[in-house]
Amino acid sequence: MGSLLGRSRTVLRALPGVFRDLAVTVMLMAAASFGSAFLLRHTGVENNSALVYVLAVVLISRLTSGYFYAVCASLVAGFCTNYYFMYPYASFSLEFAGYPVAMLSMVAISLVVCTLTTQLKNQAEEAVRRERNTRALYELNDRLGREKADIQREKDRETIRGNILRAVSHDLRTPLTSISGAAAVLMESGGRDQRDRMLLEDIKSDADSLITMVENLLSVTRIQGETQIKKQSEVLEEVAGDAVLKVRRRFPEAEVELQLSEDILLVPMDPMLIQQVICNLLENAVRHSGDPTGIVLRLYRRGGTAVTEVADRGRGLTPEVLEAVRAGRPLSTSTSGDASRGMGIGLSVCQSIVTAHGGVLEAENGLSGGAVFRFDLPLKEEEEREWTQP
């Protein structure tokens, strides 16, 4: 018997909602009819059928969805009680005294009971739903709290790292500049043999490389430490000229030609950061092209942007470097041809600074050989509007 009930319950759960509720209603009404017939046959008391049908209505209210099936079962129960289990049997009659009141009372009681049962069931389901929603909100809040704590820890870690890099870079720049200057003075003093001059050149070259790396680190920490770059309108030609003078002082053997635009290029920028970009591109051309002569720094207008282009006559760029620059990702040690000399970090810093200014860094190999780096920066709005007017 238990296995039969279990199989019946499994079959009912597998049915769609409407068919399941209809099957439950029909089965319970049939069971109430058989039960009432059994009690009438063995007890001879007619009032038992009303109680059996009310019990069936309560169970239907509990096991089905909404009010429809329970209300229909209440009406059917009232009819079946009068038709099958009240004299004269197998006929519907309201002629006898008390029959109309008894039938209407039973229907009313069944309706009230099914309404109360359905309301209690709906309240229980709503309580379960609210509990589920509350648990989900609590879990979501807990997860958001953990993520917020992780973000805050990462932010604090980045702040500490930036402060350390900034402090170390500031402390290193002064002695490195002194080393480079002292090596240059000793080289110019004369009276040195070839070996000593080579050692002094290596000292100066390494010191200059470290100075460039320190300045790049300062630029990176400056970008990361500010949510927005503090821009001011600057003439791009002046910034580029300062960068050329700076590179010429570090690399006297370098030949850099500056080609200016016919128009004055007024660009909103952080001049120190843009100067750092130009210096990095020029130093990469001097150090990594294989030919420090014939380097051209060209400035020109392209639509609403000011373009800065650095071209050399060296060995050009490998496909790995071109792909890394075009994809906007940093150069790895394996990608950079001479990472120990700072090409990778230099280009990464250039990408970060140009992107923070709303521009794009590009790289390609020139038609006549050598590498070409260019980046564009949005012009000042007033100048751009004036340029676009017919």
Side-chain angles (χ1 to χ4, degrees):
M1 185 67 177
S3 61
L4 179 61
L5 291 175
R7 285 196 297 271
S8 301
R9 195 177 294 111
T10 303
V11 172
L12 288 175
R13 289 198 190 99
L15 292 174
V18 175
F19 296 104
R20 182 176 64 249
D21 292 342
L22 184 60
V24 169
T25 302
V26 172
M27 290 174 58
L28 288 175
M29 292 303 295
S33 300
F34 284 118
S36 298
F38 177 82
L39 292 175
L40 181 62
R41 187 181 305 113
H42 289 82
T43 63
V45 180
E46 296 177 345
N47 294 336
N48 292 330
S49 62
L51 298 176
V52 173
Y53 275 109
V54 170
L55 177 61
V57 170
V58 172
L59 294 176
I60 292 171
S61 302
R62 178 66 183 83
L63 299 176
T64 59
S65 302
Y67 296 89
F68 176 77
Y69 298 98
V71 171
C72 291
S74 301
L75 299 177
V76 173
F79 173 80
C80 291
T81 300
N82 183 283
Y83 188 86
Y84 293 107
F85 305 108
M86 296 179 70
Y87 182 84
Y89 303 110
S91 66
F92 186 81
S93 175
L94 296 176
E95 297 176 356
F96 295 92
Y99 274 23
V101 176
M103 181 180 175
L104 293 176
S105 299
M106 177 190 170
V107 173
I109 292 173
S110 299
L111 291 174
V112 171
V113 170
C114 82
T115 301
L116 294 175
T117 304
T118 304
Q119 288 179 352
L120 290 175
K121 182 184 68 176
N122 292 339
Q123 289 176 2
E125 292 176 353
E126 182 64 23
V128 172
R129 191 180 304 110
R130 288 179 179 178
E131 181 183 359
R132 190 183 302 114
N133 292 338
T134 301
R135 187 183 301 111
L137 289 175
Y138 175 78
E139 293 175 354
L140 177 61
N141 184 64
D142 184 61
R143 184 169 67 253
L144 291 176
R146 292 196 301 270
E147 292 178 357
K148 182 178 179 181
D150 294 339
I151 293 174
Q152 185 61 41
R153 283 196 296 270
E154 184 64 25
K155 183 178 179 180
D156 294 340
R157 191 179 298 114
E158 289 293 333
T159 301
I160 294 173
R161 184 173 63 180
N163 291 336
I164 292 175
L165 285 175
R166 194 177 296 109
V168 171
S169 300
H170 275 294
D171 291 341
L172 287 177
R173 185 163 56 176
T174 300
L176 288 174
T177 303
S178 300
I179 293 173
S180 176
V185 171
L186 291 175
M187 290 171 58
E188 294 175 357
S189 62
R192 309 284 178 182
D193 57 19
Q194 185 66 22
R195 179 181 177 184
D196 290 342
R197 291 189 60 83
M198 292 178 60
L199 288 175
L200 290 174
E201 289 177 358
D202 291 340
I203 292 173
K204 186 178 185 304
S205 177
D206 291 339
D208 290 339
S209 298
L210 290 175
I211 291 173
T212 301
M213 186 171 295
V214 166
E215 291 177 349
N216 286 332
L217 290 175
L218 284 172
S219 299
V220 170
T221 56
R222 185 175 178 182
I223 295 174
Q224 293 178 347
E226 298 179 1
T227 57
Q228 186 175 4
I229 298 296
K230 297 180 180 179
K231 302 178 183 179
Q232 60 188 43
S233 297
E234 295 286 342
V235 178
L236 183 59
E237 289 84 344
E238 295 181 358
V239 177
D242 293 340
V244 171
L245 292 177
K246 190 173 182 180
V247 171
R248 284 174 178 170
R249 284 196 299 268
R250 290 186 180 178
F251 305 97
E253 75 281 4
E255 298 179 5
V256 180
E257 179 185 355
L258 179 59
Q259 297 181 359
L260 301 179
S261 171
E262 295 180 357
D263 307 303
I264 297 177
L265 302 178
L266 191 62
V267 180
M269 69 171 84
D270 185 320
M272 296 301 296
L273 293 178
I274 297 302
Q275 183 185 118
Q276 185 65 33
V277 172
I278 299 174
C279 287
N280 283 351
L281 296 179
L282 291 175
E283 290 187 14
N284 281 339
V286 173
R287 293 178 181 275
H288 307 287
S289 66
D291 184 4
T293 63
I295 299 173
V296 178
L297 173 59
R298 180 178 171 223
L299 308 179
Y300 60 93
R301 182 196 302 269
R302 185 172 61 185
T305 62
V307 181
T308 303
E309 182 178 285
V310 176
D312 60 58
R313 299 184 304 187
R315 63 177 67 95
L317 301 173
T318 63
E320 292 79 10
V321 174
L322 288 173
E323 179 62 26
V325 175
R326 290 170 183 171
R329 55 182 171 83
L331 296 175
S332 62
T333 303
S334 59
T335 303
S336 177
D338 190 6
S340 63
R341 308 298 283 183
M343 180 180 183
I345 188 173
L347 291 181
S348 299
V349 171
C350 292
Q351 289 173 339
S352 300
I353 295 175
V354 171
T355 302
H357 281 77
V360 177
L361 177 67
E362 302 172 352
E364 63 183 17
N365 286 319
L367 297 177
S368 58
V372 178
F373 286 94
R374 72 174 62 89
F375 65 91
D376 58 357
L377 297 174
L379 288 167
K380 190 176 179 180
E381 294 181 359
E382 292 79 1
E383 184 180 359
E384 181 180 353
R385 284 198 296 267
E386 181 180 350
W387 173 258
T388 55
Q389 287 178 355

